[in-house]
Amino acid sequence: MPRLMPLLFLTLSVPCFAQQGTETVPPLTVTVGLNHAPPYRIVEGGRHSGLYVDIFEAIAERLGWKVRYREAPFRRVLLMVERGEVDVMLGPLRTPSREAMFEFVAAAFPPERRLFFYLGEANRIERYGDLYGKRIGVLEGARYFNRFDQDPDLIKESAARYDNLARMLAWGRVDVVIAPELVGLYTLRRQGVAASVSPFFVPGQRSWIAVSRHSEAARYAEDIRAALKLLEMNGTYEALVLKYMESEAL
């Protein structure tokens, strides 16, 4: 009988976690900084949705946390995290320069290719070298891949939102726009810009749930990871990803 006790304890504890979340986590209220980048982070008419938001809301529900949001451009959200004005950012890439201000808690979001969108065959990108001499639209504060981010010889024109970059492409102010795949496809379609996708692309990296090192929520990194694992095990995570992949793909 004594040898059966640990198994009995485990059997009883799993349903408890599944129904109530992580028992040791206090009912925090966390503030999430969001930039509008559909279909991942959607801010419209005071409503907040999108793949990243839905995944984090499901995690917060498991933990018994309340979530509130503050919208700002991507670069501004980074500054708000650094100042401790928000607790969480959804979807930044993990880079050495961000380690000082973020606790990168979980690589919660699927990797996505970085695509180069263009109008006119002269701006088609076949290889990395074709980028030289082109005016490339980038999101302010975003990181795409190391060689591109650190290349001083590229001509980069920045904007606060991908909507702005789509308009800049349509108006001829940039020759190429780099964007994560679904963000780029979604935004260009919404803006009515019939851009083409270059053959050259860069494989994506998983993006993160990142918590400000100033935030009390950083103490509960393991609990966030545990809640995410449960969503993966019960099929919730996969269902959310498929929902957005199917609805936004052209």
Side-chain angles (χ1 to χ4, degrees):
M1 178 65 71
R3 288 187 297 177
L4 297 178
M5 292 304 294
L7 180 59
L8 178 61
F9 175 78
L10 178 61
T11 303
L12 293 174
S13 65
V14 170
C16 181
F17 175 82
Q19 293 174 14
Q20 299 180 26
T22 304
E23 297 291 338
T24 59
V25 179
L28 299 180
T29 297
V30 293
T31 301
V32 176
L34 287 184
N35 68 302
H36 181 67
Y40 304 123
R41 301 174 296 269
I42 303 172
V43 184
E44 291 180 331
R47 298 172 64 100
H48 307 90
S49 60
L51 175 58
Y52 294 179
V53 173
D54 288 357
I55 290 173
F56 187 74
E57 288 270 6
I59 290 171
E61 182 179 1
R62 286 287 173 185
L63 299 176
W65 290 356
K66 294 182 179 179
V67 183
R68 58 190 180 191
Y69 297 94
R70 289 185 61 183
E71 184 196 3
F74 186 86
R75 178 177 284 182
R76 172 67 179 167
V77 174
L78 289 172
L79 183 60
M80 290 160 67
V81 170
E82 188 174 13
R83 293 175 174 174
E85 297 172 4
V86 298
D87 300 293
V88 176
M89 188 172 185
L90 303 178
L93 295 181
R94 186 172 190 167
T95 66
S97 64
R98 293 173 179 168
E99 293 281 356
M101 58 180 173
F102 281 128
E103 175 79 23
F104 285 91
V105 171
F109 310 119
E112 189 169 17
R113 299 184 301 172
R114 270 46 182 167
L115 301 184
F116 293 89
F117 299 90
Y118 69 96
L119 295 173
E121 285 301 304
N123 295 320
R124 179 183 172 94
I125 306 300
E126 300 274 357
R127 59 191 63 83
Y128 185 87
D130 294 340
L131 292 169
Y132 293 114
K134 301 286 195 299
R135 296 165 300 168
I136 307 165
V138 300
L139 186 71
E140 289 178 354
R143 298 290 179 266
Y144 295 100
F145 59 99
N146 286 338
R147 182 180 179 185
F148 179 87
D149 297 336
Q150 299 171 10
D151 193 335
D153 297 321
L154 295 176
I155 305 168
K156 299 173 186 175
E157 302 289 342
S158 63
R161 297 176 67 158
Y162 281 109
D163 286 343
N164 299 341
L165 291 174
R167 288 191 286 269
M168 290 165 67
L169 183 65
W171 297 337
R173 291 176 53 188
V174 296
D175 303 309
V176 178
V177 168
I178 182 174
E181 184 169 2
L182 288 188
V183 171
L185 293 172
Y186 177 98
T187 304
L188 290 164
R189 182 172 60 187
R190 285 283 298 268
Q191 293 291 327
V193 181
S196 299
V197 178
S198 293
F200 177 74
F201 68 90
V202 179
Q205 307 172 43
R206 293 188 72 90
S207 51
W208 292 73
I209 294 174
V211 180
S212 169
R213 294 191 180 276
H214 299 287
S215 172
E216 186 179 357
R219 298 170 52 195
Y220 303 102
E222 288 295 335
D223 301 287
I224 294 172
R225 286 190 283 267
L228 174 62
K229 185 65 175 177
L230 180 61
L231 296 180
E232 293 170 343
M233 291 172 61
N234 68 18
T236 301
Y237 181 90
E238 180 181 37
L240 289 171
V241 171
L242 289 176
K243 168 188 169 184
Y244 283 94
M245 291 293 184
E246 291 172 354
S247 64
E248 303 303 344
L250 291 178

